[in-house]
Amino acid sequence: MITKNDKEKLGIIKQFLQKNASKIQKLANQNHLSYVGSDTANVKILTKNRRFFVEVIERVADTPKYTPRSKKIFQKLGHEIAQNSIVYGLTLEETVDSVIFLKQAIWEKLQVSELLDSLSSNDLFVFGQTVTSYFDSITSKIANVYHDDYLNVRESISQSERLFATTFDASPVAMTVIRLADQVMVDANEHFLKLVGYKRSEIVGRSSAELDLGVEKSSAKEQARNLKNLRSKGKLTDFESLVRTKKGVIKQIRGAFVMVMINGKEHVITSHIDVTEQRKADENNRYLATLTNNIADAVISIDQHNTIVSWNKSAQKLYGWKTKDVVGKEVNEVLATSFPDNQNGLAETNRMFARYDSWRGEVVQRRKDGSSINILSSVAAIKNDDGEVTAKVAVNRDISERKKAEKALKDSETRYRTLFNSIDEGFCLIKMLYDDDGNAYDYLFLEVNAMFEKVASMRNPVGKTMKQMMPSIPKSWIAIFEKVAKTGKANRSTNYAVSGDRWYDIYTTRVGDPNDHVLALLFSDVSEKRRLDKEREVAAQKIINTLESIGEAFFQVDANGNIILVNEGFVRITGAPRKDIIGQNFWKLFPKTDQANAPYYQSFTRVLKSGKQEQFVDYYQPLKLWLDVRVYPSEGGMSVFFRDVTQQKQAEGEQAKLMQLSNERKELIKITKAKDEFIGIASHQLRTPATAVKQYIGILLSGLGGTLTDKQLHYLESAYSSNERQLELINDLLKTAQIDAETFTLSRTSHDITKLVRKAVTELQSVFEHRQQKIIFKNFDKNIKVRVDAAEMNLVFSNLLENASKYSGENTQITISIIQKKKVHIVITDEGVGISENDYDKIFDKFTRVDNELSDTVNGTGLGLYWVRRILEMHGGSISVTSKLHEGSSFKVVLPL
Amino acid sequence: MSGTISVLVVEDEAILLEAYELILGTAGYTVFTARNGIEALEQLKKVTPDVMLLDIFMPEMDGREVLRNLDKADYPEMKIIVCSNLSDSNASQEVLRNGADDFVLKSSLGPMELIQLIKDKTRQRASKSES
C-alpha cells in the first residue's frame, strides 16, 4: 500500500538513517546507560555491539516492507547480537534493553528530523508497525539464544561441579573452598572436618573471622602480597600455618591455595596436610642428634637476655669470630639474624619457641668478614626446675651449599614440569596404600599428565585410588609396585589389564623419601605394538622353521655385512658349524681377492647395489660343488639361498654325452646305410668287368669263338683262373662287408642241424678225398632242430671243415661230434698243425692269418673264421678253440636250441 | 630245337649284352635285347620270349621295377631269371617273391653255365614242343 510517492519519502528516511547511524547508536547507548546505570553496564562492552547496531539501522532503512524474508534477516541479526553479548559477558536483560533503546533512538532521531511528518497517518502507522516487528524479531531471537546458552552453561557447570565434588570428597587431603571476597567457607571435605573437629554445618557458610580457626592473623600487607601472588600465579604452595581445632588444639598444617572462579566469583580451594606430629618428631630428633653427634655444627648458647654464653670451635670456624670476641655480646649484634622467607620471622620464631620450647628454621646470618651465610638453625630451650627458660642453645649449620642445590633442584623442577607436560608417555605419581598388616592393597594417584589420562583411559584420577578408578585392578600390578616401593629398584614390565583388554608397558621407579611410598610410573599402551611384535615373532618363527626345514642352504647378511642367520642346509652343504659363521663379517669370509669367489662376489655386490634379485649357477671351487645360487636384497643386506646341483650338473653332463653319442650313432647309422648302399653298388660294379672277362674268355675256351691251339687254350685257362680268383676275392670282401652291415639279416627257419653238417661234409667230399682224410662222426645225435639260416650255416660248417682239411696233413682224420645239451655243441677236431694259445682270439678277427708251418702254402684271405664267428653270434651262438701245436685243433660251435 | 626257343636279355652293360647275345645266339636261341626296364617292357609288348634274363641294376627302370610292372598273367609260359651281380640276399629274396623263377649271381655264370641254365629252365618247354 506504499505508493510511489511514499517510496520516495521512505527513500529520504533511508538516507537519513544511514547518515545518522552512528549518532542514533550513540544516543541509544547514552539512554541505555542512564537507565541501567553505568556501574553495572560496561560502556566498552556495549559498544562491542556497535557494528551490529549500525547494521540494524541500515537494514531498517533497506527494508521498509515487512516480509518473512526480512524477518529472517533481523532474526539473524538478533542471533549475532546475542552471541556477541554472551562472549562479552552481558546479561540477557542488558542486551535486550540496549536493543530497545536503539529502537527508541531511531524514532527520536526521525521525530527530531521532522521527516516522519511528511508521511500520511496510514503510512506512518505501517512504517511504525514494520519497525516494531523487526525489533520484536531481534529481541525474541536474543532471548532464545540466551536461553539455549544458559542451558548449555548450566550443564557444563553441573558436570564440572560433580567432578569437583567427587574429587573434593574423595581427597585424602584436608580441603576447603573459601569465597575470597568475604572469606566465607563455602565447603569443606571430610578430611578437613576431621582435622579441625567441626561438623560441616558448623563451619560451612561462616566467615574465617567468625570461625577463628587461624592462630595468628596475617598482617594486611602480608595478606595483600599473598592475594597478589594467588591472583597472578593461580596458586600458593608450601604455605605453613597454624590452626586451632574445635577442642582448642593447635596444629601445624602445610598446604596450598588454588584460585578458582566459581559462578564468576573468586574462590580459593585450600588443601592441607597436618604436619604437627611430623614437625615435632623432626625437631626432637634433630635436637637430640645435634647435641649428641653434630659437633661439626656451630653450637652457641645464650642466656635469657640473648647474651652469648658459649661459642664452640665450629662456630669460630663458621662465623670467623673467636670465642673471646663474642662471649658476653648480644647475639643479634654479632650475627644480624634475618629471616629471608618471612618478614615476621622473629615474631614467629618467638611464638613457636614459646609453644614448643624449640624452633628450627632457615635464617641468614653475617660472618665476621661481612658476608652472609644461609644457616639452618635449631634452637632449644634450657629450663630450670621451675620451668623457666634460663638459656637457649642454638645449633647452626651452614646450608649455603644446600641452598644452591635447592635452587638447582628448583630449576630442574621447572624442567621436570615442562617434561611432565610434554612427555608423550603417560606419567603419574602414585602413593602406595597399606593395610594394618603393612600389605599394599591399593594406590592413590597424586599427579598425572594429560597423556596418562588418554593412555589409561581415566578421567581425573588425581586424588582417587586405583580401586576407585578401576575396580578390577590386577593384583600383579600392586605386587610389582609394592616391591618397587620397598626395594627402590626400578621395574619395567608389560602388564595386561583385563578391563579394556589392553597391554601396558609400565616403568616404575620410587621417588622421594622411601617412607612416602611414592612411585613414578611411565605408562604406555603397547597393545598394538605387542600385537605386532607377537605377529612378527610368529612370522619370524615361521620363517625360521621354514628355513630350517628347506633342503636349501640359506644365510642372511645384514647391512653391516655381518652374517646374522644361517640354516641347517648351510651347515650341511658347507660343513661349517653355525658358531663359526654367525656374527662373522661376510666380506672377510668371502674376500674379493679370492679368484674362486669371482662370479659370486660380482653377483653379491651387484645385488647390494641394484637391489634386484639374481640367480645363477656356477662352480664353487672351495667346496668343489656346483651351486645354484639365488641372491635377494633384504633390509640393506642380502639373503642368499643356494643348493648343491653338482649331481644334477653331472647328470646333465652325462646326458649331454649321451646326446652326443646318440647323435654320433645317428650319424653312424647314416654312414652305415651309405656304406651298405656302397657295398650294393660296389658289389655290382666290381663284379661287372670281371664278369665280362669271364664271359669272353669263356666263349673262347668253350669254342664258341672258333678253334684254338692247345697253347692258346692253356694261356686262356690261366687268365680265366686268375679272373676267377679275383671274383672270389671280390665276393669275399663283399661277404665281409655284408656281414658287417647293419642291414644284414638272417632268414632263419627250422633245420635239423645234423643234416646241415652232413650236407657240408658231402659238398667237401672231394676235398677230403684229395687229402685222403677220414671223417668220423662221433656222439652224433640225430634230428636236432635248430632255427638257423641254412645258407649261412652252410658257410660256417664249410669253412670249419675246409680249414680242418687245409691245415691237416694227408691221412689224418677229422672228428665231428654233435651233442644236444641245453644248447647244441658241435665240435670239429682235426690232427693238424695246431694253433698257439696266444693266437686263439686273433684267428676269429678280420683278415687275420696266423703263422704256422702251412700258412705259406694255404690260400686264404683271413676272413673265413671271422664270418664264422659273426654268423654264429648273429644266431646267438659262439665259437671257441682249443689246440696243441703239431697235434691238432678242436673248434667248438655252440648254438641255442 | 633251339631255334624255337627265344630269350629276352635285359642288360644295361653293352659289353655283357653283346657277350650274352653272342653266346646264346651261337647256342641257337632267338635273342631279343633291351638295355633297361622300359625297353624290356616295350619288347614284351611285341614278343613273348620263353626266358627273360633280367638284370637288376639298370638306368631308367631297374629289374625290380620291371617285375612289379609286369603282369605275369599275360606271360604264363615265360621263365624269368634274374641275373645280377648284386649279391644281397635281401635282393634275391625280393625278386623271387615278385615273380622271378630264379636268381643267379652274374659273376658265377660262364658261357657254358649260362647255356646250361637256359637249357634247364626251358627243358619242359623244349620237351613240350618236341612232343
Side-chain angles (χ1 to χ4, degrees), chain A residues 680-681 683-684 687-688 691-692 694-696 698-699 702 704 727 731 738 743 745 747, chain B residues 13 15-16 18-19 22-23 26 57 85-88 90 105-112:
Chain A
I681 293 160
S683 64
H684 188 264
R687 276 173 181 144
T688 303
T691 307
K694 181 179 170 122
Q695 295 303 345
Y696 285 99
I699 288 168
S702 60
L704 292 173
L727 277 171
N731 285 342
Q738 277 174 354
T743 47
T745 51
S747 71
Chain B
E13 285 288 336
I15 193 167
L16 275 178
E18 198 183 328
L22 176 65
I23 294 163
T26 311
F57 268 154
N85 267 328
L86 193 69
S87 57
D88 188 339
N90 293 333
L105 188 60
K106 208 190 275 180
S107 63
S108 68
L109 288 177
M112 300 321 288

mmCIF file of all heavy atoms in Angstrom, chain A residues 680-681 683-684 687-688 691-692 694-696 698-699 702 704 727 731 738 743 745 747, chain B residues 13 15-16 18-19 22-23 26 57 85-88 90 105-112:
data_model
loop_
_atom_site.group_PDB
_atom_site.id
_atom_site.type_symbol
_atom_site.label_atom_id
_atom_site.label_comp_id
_atom_site.label_asym_id
_atom_site.label_seq_id
_atom_site.Cartn_x
_atom_site.Cartn_y
_atom_site.Cartn_z
ATOM 1 N N GLY A 680 76.391 -102.416 -51.970
ATOM 2 C CA GLY A 680 75.485 -102.904 -53.015
ATOM 3 C C GLY A 680 75.971 -102.509 -54.396
ATOM 4 O O GLY A 680 76.076 -103.352 -55.303
ATOM 5 N N ILE A 681 76.323 -101.234 -54.503
ATOM 6 C CA ILE A 681 76.757 -100.746 -55.804
ATOM 7 C C ILE A 681 78.123 -101.333 -56.175
ATOM 8 O O ILE A 681 78.351 -101.805 -57.288
ATOM 9 C CB ILE A 681 76.799 -99.212 -55.805
ATOM 10 C CG1 ILE A 681 75.375 -98.672 -55.671
ATOM 11 C CG2 ILE A 681 77.448 -98.667 -57.077
ATOM 12 C CD1 ILE A 681 75.279 -97.254 -55.193
ATOM 13 N N SER A 683 79.484 -104.059 -55.146
ATOM 14 C CA SER A 683 79.412 -105.474 -55.497
ATOM 15 C C SER A 683 79.042 -105.634 -56.977
ATOM 16 O O SER A 683 79.557 -106.507 -57.668
ATOM 17 C CB SER A 683 78.401 -106.201 -54.605
ATOM 18 O OG SER A 683 77.107 -105.693 -54.826
ATOM 19 N N HIS A 684 78.187 -104.762 -57.394
ATOM 20 C CA HIS A 684 77.751 -104.798 -58.784
ATOM 21 C C HIS A 684 78.852 -104.302 -59.714
ATOM 22 O O HIS A 684 79.222 -104.982 -60.662
ATOM 23 C CB HIS A 684 76.504 -103.910 -58.918
ATOM 24 C CG HIS A 684 75.858 -104.003 -60.240
ATOM 25 N ND1 HIS A 684 76.103 -103.098 -61.263
ATOM 26 C CD2 HIS A 684 74.967 -104.892 -60.761
ATOM 27 C CE1 HIS A 684 75.379 -103.426 -62.314
ATOM 28 N NE2 HIS A 684 74.669 -104.541 -62.034
ATOM 29 N N ARG A 687 82.095 -106.453 -59.843
ATOM 30 C CA ARG A 687 81.952 -107.764 -60.487
ATOM 31 C C ARG A 687 81.777 -107.651 -62.010
ATOM 32 O O ARG A 687 82.222 -108.534 -62.763
ATOM 33 C CB ARG A 687 80.743 -108.495 -59.922
ATOM 34 C CG ARG A 687 81.066 -109.236 -58.635
ATOM 35 C CD ARG A 687 79.794 -109.792 -58.050
ATOM 36 N NE ARG A 687 80.016 -110.480 -56.810
ATOM 37 C CZ ARG A 687 79.142 -110.447 -55.816
ATOM 38 N NH1 ARG A 687 78.036 -109.709 -55.938
ATOM 39 N NH2 ARG A 687 79.389 -111.121 -54.729
ATOM 40 N N THR A 688 81.090 -106.575 -62.390
ATOM 41 C CA THR A 688 80.716 -106.496 -63.796
ATOM 42 C C THR A 688 81.897 -106.635 -64.790
ATOM 43 O O THR A 688 81.830 -107.480 -65.695
ATOM 44 C CB THR A 688 79.915 -105.216 -64.063
ATOM 45 O OG1 THR A 688 78.788 -105.248 -63.202
ATOM 46 C CG2 THR A 688 79.450 -105.116 -65.513
ATOM 47 N N THR A 691 83.159 -110.078 -64.763
ATOM 48 C CA THR A 691 82.161 -110.958 -65.358
ATOM 49 C C THR A 691 82.286 -110.942 -66.890
ATOM 50 O O THR A 691 82.203 -111.986 -67.544
ATOM 51 C CB THR A 691 80.738 -110.520 -64.947
ATOM 52 O OG1 THR A 691 80.678 -110.426 -63.537
ATOM 53 C CG2 THR A 691 79.699 -111.508 -65.444
ATOM 54 N N ALA A 692 82.498 -109.692 -67.389
ATOM 55 C CA ALA A 692 82.668 -109.574 -68.841
ATOM 56 C C ALA A 692 83.890 -110.370 -69.315
ATOM 57 O O ALA A 692 83.814 -111.114 -70.293
ATOM 58 C CB ALA A 692 82.788 -108.107 -69.210
ATOM 59 N N LYS A 694 85.183 -112.914 -67.826
ATOM 60 C CA LYS A 694 84.834 -114.321 -67.663
ATOM 61 C C LYS A 694 84.031 -114.816 -68.881
ATOM 62 O O LYS A 694 84.281 -115.916 -69.416
ATOM 63 C CB LYS A 694 84.027 -114.484 -66.380
ATOM 64 C CG LYS A 694 83.604 -115.925 -66.063
ATOM 65 C CD LYS A 694 82.828 -115.942 -64.731
ATOM 66 C CE LYS A 694 82.173 -117.293 -64.508
ATOM 67 N NZ LYS A 694 82.627 -117.884 -63.274
ATOM 68 N N GLN A 695 83.068 -113.989 -69.341
ATOM 69 C CA GLN A 695 82.221 -114.391 -70.457
ATOM 70 C C GLN A 695 83.029 -114.569 -71.748
ATOM 71 O O GLN A 695 82.920 -115.584 -72.429
ATOM 72 C CB GLN A 695 81.106 -113.346 -70.704
ATOM 73 C CG GLN A 695 80.101 -113.191 -69.607
ATOM 74 C CD GLN A 695 79.384 -114.488 -69.232
ATOM 75 O OE1 GLN A 695 79.407 -115.511 -69.964
ATOM 76 N NE2 GLN A 695 78.771 -114.490 -68.060
ATOM 77 N N TYR A 696 83.876 -113.555 -71.969
ATOM 78 C CA TYR A 696 84.578 -113.612 -73.250
ATOM 79 C C TYR A 696 85.651 -114.698 -73.282
ATOM 80 O O TYR A 696 85.802 -115.412 -74.275
ATOM 81 C CB TYR A 696 85.179 -112.247 -73.599
ATOM 82 C CG TYR A 696 84.090 -111.295 -74.068
ATOM 83 C CD1 TYR A 696 83.517 -110.342 -73.252
ATOM 84 C CD2 TYR A 696 83.616 -111.414 -75.420
ATOM 85 C CE1 TYR A 696 82.513 -109.510 -73.702
ATOM 86 C CE2 TYR A 696 82.590 -110.569 -75.862
ATOM 87 C CZ TYR A 696 82.045 -109.605 -75.000
ATOM 88 O OH TYR A 696 81.046 -108.825 -75.457
ATOM 89 N N GLY A 698 85.461 -117.287 -71.501
ATOM 90 C CA GLY A 698 84.611 -118.493 -71.517
ATOM 91 C C GLY A 698 84.167 -118.841 -72.925
ATOM 92 O O GLY A 698 84.150 -120.019 -73.306
ATOM 93 N N ILE A 699 83.830 -117.804 -73.735
ATOM 94 C CA ILE A 699 83.417 -118.030 -75.121
ATOM 95 C C ILE A 699 84.559 -118.708 -75.898
ATOM 96 O O ILE A 699 84.353 -119.693 -76.605
ATOM 97 C CB ILE A 699 83.007 -116.691 -75.778
ATOM 98 C CG1 ILE A 699 81.663 -116.208 -75.214
ATOM 99 C CG2 ILE A 699 82.934 -116.835 -77.315
ATOM 100 C CD1 ILE A 699 81.301 -114.781 -75.569
ATOM 101 N N SER A 702 85.228 -122.257 -74.599
ATOM 102 C CA SER A 702 84.175 -123.215 -74.954
ATOM 103 C C SER A 702 84.069 -123.450 -76.458
ATOM 104 O O SER A 702 83.206 -124.166 -76.929
ATOM 105 C CB SER A 702 82.812 -122.723 -74.427
ATOM 106 O OG SER A 702 82.514 -121.459 -75.001
ATOM 107 N N LEU A 704 83.266 -121.339 -78.689
ATOM 108 C CA LEU A 704 82.252 -120.555 -79.378
ATOM 109 C C LEU A 704 82.888 -119.488 -80.293
ATOM 110 O O LEU A 704 82.269 -119.016 -81.227
ATOM 111 C CB LEU A 704 81.325 -119.844 -78.377
ATOM 112 C CG LEU A 704 80.411 -120.772 -77.564
ATOM 113 C CD1 LEU A 704 79.655 -119.987 -76.495
ATOM 114 C CD2 LEU A 704 79.410 -121.494 -78.468
ATOM 115 N N LEU A 727 87.407 -112.679 -58.795
ATOM 116 C CA LEU A 727 85.981 -112.675 -58.444
ATOM 117 C C LEU A 727 85.754 -113.210 -57.034
ATOM 118 O O LEU A 727 84.924 -112.701 -56.291
ATOM 119 C CB LEU A 727 85.183 -113.516 -59.455
ATOM 120 C CG LEU A 727 84.786 -112.780 -60.758
ATOM 121 C CD1 LEU A 727 84.205 -113.772 -61.768
ATOM 122 C CD2 LEU A 727 83.766 -111.689 -60.462
ATOM 123 N N ASN A 731 84.101 -111.388 -53.986
ATOM 124 C CA ASN A 731 82.986 -111.989 -53.240
ATOM 125 C C ASN A 731 83.259 -112.030 -51.737
ATOM 126 O O ASN A 731 82.374 -111.755 -50.933
ATOM 127 C CB ASN A 731 82.736 -113.411 -53.770
ATOM 128 C CG ASN A 731 82.043 -113.393 -55.127
ATOM 129 O OD1 ASN A 731 81.448 -112.373 -55.518
ATOM 130 N ND2 ASN A 731 82.125 -114.488 -55.858
ATOM 131 N N GLN A 738 78.972 -107.314 -46.107
ATOM 132 C CA GLN A 738 77.553 -107.618 -45.816
ATOM 133 C C GLN A 738 77.342 -108.028 -44.378
ATOM 134 O O GLN A 738 76.419 -107.586 -43.718
ATOM 135 C CB GLN A 738 77.078 -108.741 -46.745
ATOM 136 C CG GLN A 738 76.649 -108.246 -48.098
ATOM 137 C CD GLN A 738 76.329 -109.389 -49.042
ATOM 138 O OE1 GLN A 738 76.539 -110.571 -48.724
ATOM 139 N NE2 GLN A 738 75.825 -109.046 -50.218
ATOM 140 N N THR A 743 72.410 -103.863 -42.139
ATOM 141 C CA THR A 743 71.228 -104.348 -42.862
ATOM 142 C C THR A 743 71.229 -105.857 -43.096
ATOM 143 O O THR A 743 70.245 -106.416 -43.542
ATOM 144 C CB THR A 743 71.152 -103.655 -44.227
ATOM 145 O OG1 THR A 743 72.440 -103.719 -44.832
ATOM 146 C CG2 THR A 743 70.739 -102.197 -44.080
ATOM 147 N N THR A 745 70.578 -109.374 -42.602
ATOM 148 C CA THR A 745 69.608 -110.114 -41.779
ATOM 149 C C THR A 745 69.621 -111.584 -42.156
ATOM 150 O O THR A 745 69.882 -111.950 -43.299
ATOM 151 C CB THR A 745 68.176 -109.582 -41.948
ATOM 152 O OG1 THR A 745 67.875 -109.525 -43.338
ATOM 153 C CG2 THR A 745 68.013 -108.206 -41.306
ATOM 154 N N SER A 747 67.724 -115.224 -42.541
ATOM 155 C CA SER A 747 66.362 -115.750 -42.749
ATOM 156 C C SER A 747 66.335 -117.140 -42.123
ATOM 157 O O SER A 747 66.803 -118.112 -42.687
ATOM 158 C CB SER A 747 66.004 -115.782 -44.240
ATOM 159 O OG SER A 747 66.715 -116.761 -44.906
ATOM 160 N N GLU B 13 74.749 -103.136 -69.416
ATOM 161 C CA GLU B 13 76.163 -103.138 -69.815
ATOM 162 C C GLU B 13 76.277 -103.686 -71.250
ATOM 163 O O GLU B 13 76.052 -104.888 -71.493
ATOM 164 C CB GLU B 13 76.976 -104.017 -68.862
ATOM 165 C CG GLU B 13 77.229 -103.392 -67.502
ATOM 166 C CD GLU B 13 78.234 -102.256 -67.561
ATOM 167 O OE1 GLU B 13 79.057 -102.218 -68.498
ATOM 168 O OE2 GLU B 13 78.184 -101.362 -66.674
ATOM 169 N N ILE B 15 78.749 -104.372 -73.169
ATOM 170 C CA ILE B 15 79.752 -105.429 -73.404
ATOM 171 C C ILE B 15 79.233 -106.813 -72.990
ATOM 172 O O ILE B 15 79.498 -107.824 -73.629
ATOM 173 C CB ILE B 15 81.089 -105.072 -72.709
ATOM 174 C CG1 ILE B 15 82.214 -106.004 -73.231
ATOM 175 C CG2 ILE B 15 80.987 -105.079 -71.212
ATOM 176 C CD1 ILE B 15 83.606 -105.532 -72.838
ATOM 177 N N LEU B 16 78.438 -106.784 -71.906
ATOM 178 C CA LEU B 16 77.871 -108.046 -71.435
ATOM 179 C C LEU B 16 76.707 -108.475 -72.340
ATOM 180 O O LEU B 16 76.545 -109.655 -72.666
ATOM 181 C CB LEU B 16 77.383 -107.913 -69.993
ATOM 182 C CG LEU B 16 78.441 -108.127 -68.908
ATOM 183 C CD1 LEU B 16 77.815 -107.924 -67.518
ATOM 184 C CD2 LEU B 16 79.062 -109.510 -68.993
ATOM 185 N N GLU B 18 76.336 -107.826 -75.344
ATOM 186 C CA GLU B 18 76.917 -108.373 -76.590
ATOM 187 C C GLU B 18 77.383 -109.818 -76.394
ATOM 188 O O GLU B 18 77.127 -110.691 -77.221
ATOM 189 C CB GLU B 18 78.103 -107.499 -77.023
ATOM 190 C CG GLU B 18 78.525 -107.669 -78.477
ATOM 191 C CD GLU B 18 79.759 -106.841 -78.851
ATOM 192 O OE1 GLU B 18 79.923 -105.729 -78.267
ATOM 193 O OE2 GLU B 18 80.562 -107.289 -79.673
ATOM 194 N N ALA B 19 78.056 -110.062 -75.258
ATOM 195 C CA ALA B 19 78.540 -111.411 -74.947
ATOM 196 C C ALA B 19 77.381 -112.405 -74.858
ATOM 197 O O ALA B 19 77.425 -113.495 -75.415
ATOM 198 C CB ALA B 19 79.300 -111.386 -73.626
ATOM 199 N N LEU B 22 75.986 -113.100 -78.185
ATOM 200 C CA LEU B 22 76.911 -113.993 -78.910
ATOM 201 C C LEU B 22 76.766 -115.436 -78.435
ATOM 202 O O LEU B 22 76.591 -116.354 -79.242
ATOM 203 C CB LEU B 22 78.348 -113.503 -78.709
ATOM 204 C CG LEU B 22 79.485 -114.340 -79.298
ATOM 205 C CD1 LEU B 22 79.401 -114.337 -80.849
ATOM 206 C CD2 LEU B 22 80.842 -113.819 -78.860
ATOM 207 N N ILE B 23 76.812 -115.579 -77.102
ATOM 208 C CA ILE B 23 76.770 -116.927 -76.534
ATOM 209 C C ILE B 23 75.448 -117.618 -76.891
ATOM 210 O O ILE B 23 75.405 -118.734 -77.411
ATOM 211 C CB ILE B 23 76.940 -116.884 -74.997
ATOM 212 C CG1 ILE B 23 78.367 -116.386 -74.662
ATOM 213 C CG2 ILE B 23 76.686 -118.250 -74.358
ATOM 214 C CD1 ILE B 23 78.524 -115.927 -73.227
ATOM 215 N N THR B 26 74.906 -118.129 -80.639
ATOM 216 C CA THR B 26 75.730 -119.247 -81.075
ATOM 217 C C THR B 26 75.101 -120.563 -80.651
ATOM 218 O O THR B 26 75.115 -121.555 -81.379
ATOM 219 C CB THR B 26 77.148 -119.139 -80.480
ATOM 220 O OG1 THR B 26 77.649 -117.821 -80.701
ATOM 221 C CG2 THR B 26 78.075 -120.151 -81.131
ATOM 222 N N PHE B 57 70.383 -103.902 -61.512
ATOM 223 C CA PHE B 57 70.821 -102.504 -61.595
ATOM 224 C C PHE B 57 70.840 -102.021 -63.021
ATOM 225 O O PHE B 57 71.666 -102.441 -63.822
ATOM 226 C CB PHE B 57 72.234 -102.367 -61.004
ATOM 227 C CG PHE B 57 72.243 -102.026 -59.538
ATOM 228 C CD1 PHE B 57 73.321 -102.388 -58.756
ATOM 229 C CD2 PHE B 57 71.177 -101.316 -58.974
ATOM 230 C CE1 PHE B 57 73.338 -102.085 -57.402
ATOM 231 C CE2 PHE B 57 71.219 -101.013 -57.624
ATOM 232 C CZ PHE B 57 72.288 -101.401 -56.829
ATOM 233 N N ASN B 85 74.790 -109.024 -60.476
ATOM 234 C CA ASN B 85 75.980 -109.071 -59.642
ATOM 235 C C ASN B 85 75.702 -108.532 -58.228
ATOM 236 O O ASN B 85 76.594 -108.365 -57.416
ATOM 237 C CB ASN B 85 77.121 -108.297 -60.276
ATOM 238 C CG ASN B 85 77.998 -109.207 -61.114
ATOM 239 O OD1 ASN B 85 78.152 -110.394 -60.781
ATOM 240 N ND2 ASN B 85 78.530 -108.691 -62.190
ATOM 241 N N LEU B 86 74.463 -108.195 -57.983
ATOM 242 C CA LEU B 86 74.052 -107.758 -56.644
ATOM 243 C C LEU B 86 73.851 -109.006 -55.801
ATOM 244 O O LEU B 86 72.940 -109.764 -56.009
ATOM 245 C CB LEU B 86 72.737 -106.976 -56.756
ATOM 246 C CG LEU B 86 72.324 -106.184 -55.535
ATOM 247 C CD1 LEU B 86 73.246 -104.996 -55.308
ATOM 248 C CD2 LEU B 86 70.899 -105.679 -55.704
ATOM 249 N N SER B 87 74.776 -109.216 -54.835
ATOM 250 C CA SER B 87 74.744 -110.488 -54.112
ATOM 251 C C SER B 87 73.962 -110.386 -52.800
ATOM 252 O O SER B 87 74.024 -111.244 -51.959
ATOM 253 C CB SER B 87 76.168 -110.961 -53.840
ATOM 254 O OG SER B 87 76.853 -109.960 -53.116
ATOM 255 N N ASP B 88 73.255 -109.259 -52.658
ATOM 256 C CA ASP B 88 72.473 -109.050 -51.435
ATOM 257 C C ASP B 88 71.368 -110.091 -51.352
ATOM 258 O O ASP B 88 70.572 -110.262 -52.274
ATOM 259 C CB ASP B 88 71.875 -107.632 -51.522
ATOM 260 C CG ASP B 88 71.199 -107.228 -50.236
ATOM 261 O OD1 ASP B 88 70.841 -108.123 -49.448
ATOM 262 O OD2 ASP B 88 71.014 -106.018 -50.032
ATOM 263 N N ASN B 90 68.857 -110.040 -49.509
ATOM 264 C CA ASN B 90 67.541 -109.401 -49.490
ATOM 265 C C ASN B 90 67.031 -109.187 -50.924
ATOM 266 O O ASN B 90 65.853 -109.387 -51.189
ATOM 267 C CB ASN B 90 67.601 -108.036 -48.802
ATOM 268 C CG ASN B 90 67.903 -108.182 -47.325
ATOM 269 O OD1 ASN B 90 67.578 -109.219 -46.717
ATOM 270 N ND2 ASN B 90 68.523 -107.158 -46.756
ATOM 271 N N LEU B 105 73.854 -115.343 -59.491
ATOM 272 C CA LEU B 105 74.886 -114.316 -59.410
ATOM 273 C C LEU B 105 75.575 -114.266 -60.770
ATOM 274 O O LEU B 105 76.079 -115.278 -61.255
ATOM 275 C CB LEU B 105 75.890 -114.682 -58.307
ATOM 276 C CG LEU B 105 76.927 -113.614 -57.963
ATOM 277 C CD1 LEU B 105 76.257 -112.328 -57.468
ATOM 278 C CD2 LEU B 105 77.906 -114.160 -56.927
ATOM 279 N N LYS B 106 75.570 -113.085 -61.379
ATOM 280 C CA LYS B 106 76.039 -112.932 -62.760
ATOM 281 C C LYS B 106 77.484 -113.425 -62.938
ATOM 282 O O LYS B 106 77.827 -114.091 -63.907
ATOM 283 C CB LYS B 106 75.939 -111.457 -63.145
ATOM 284 C CG LYS B 106 75.728 -111.237 -64.625
ATOM 285 C CD LYS B 106 75.883 -109.756 -64.966
ATOM 286 C CE LYS B 106 74.576 -109.020 -64.747
ATOM 287 N NZ LYS B 106 74.737 -107.579 -65.073
ATOM 288 N N SER B 107 78.285 -113.079 -61.880
ATOM 289 C CA SER B 107 79.710 -113.419 -61.999
ATOM 290 C C SER B 107 79.973 -114.928 -61.903
ATOM 291 O O SER B 107 81.060 -115.392 -62.195
ATOM 292 C CB SER B 107 80.512 -112.682 -60.924
ATOM 293 O OG SER B 107 80.118 -113.108 -59.636
ATOM 294 N N SER B 108 78.968 -115.654 -61.438
ATOM 295 C CA SER B 108 79.161 -117.103 -61.311
ATOM 296 C C SER B 108 78.862 -117.843 -62.635
ATOM 297 O O SER B 108 79.128 -119.020 -62.755
ATOM 298 C CB SER B 108 78.269 -117.650 -60.184
ATOM 299 O OG SER B 108 76.910 -117.545 -60.562
ATOM 300 N N LEU B 109 78.308 -117.087 -63.576
ATOM 301 C CA LEU B 109 77.927 -117.724 -64.841
ATOM 302 C C LEU B 109 78.988 -117.527 -65.925
ATOM 303 O O LEU B 109 79.266 -116.405 -66.345
ATOM 304 C CB LEU B 109 76.611 -117.137 -65.369
ATOM 305 C CG LEU B 109 75.309 -117.495 -64.647
ATOM 306 C CD1 LEU B 109 74.151 -116.746 -65.295
ATOM 307 C CD2 LEU B 109 75.060 -118.997 -64.656
ATOM 308 N N GLY B 110 79.563 -118.634 -66.353
ATOM 309 C CA GLY B 110 80.387 -118.591 -67.567
ATOM 310 C C GLY B 110 79.473 -118.910 -68.767
ATOM 311 O O GLY B 110 78.282 -119.162 -68.560
ATOM 312 N N PRO B 111 80.029 -118.891 -70.002
ATOM 313 C CA PRO B 111 79.180 -119.177 -71.190
ATOM 314 C C PRO B 111 78.465 -120.524 -71.118
ATOM 315 O O PRO B 111 77.255 -120.591 -71.367
ATOM 316 C CB PRO B 111 80.196 -119.186 -72.343
ATOM 317 C CG PRO B 111 81.312 -118.314 -71.858
ATOM 318 C CD PRO B 111 81.401 -118.526 -70.393
ATOM 319 N N MET B 112 79.192 -121.519 -70.660
ATOM 320 C CA MET B 112 78.597 -122.848 -70.624
ATOM 321 C C MET B 112 77.518 -122.932 -69.539
ATOM 322 O O MET B 112 76.481 -123.555 -69.739
ATOM 323 C CB MET B 112 79.681 -123.919 -70.377
ATOM 324 C CG MET B 112 80.789 -123.965 -71.445
ATOM 325 S SD MET B 112 80.196 -123.715 -73.154
ATOM 326 C CE MET B 112 79.338 -125.275 -73.456
#
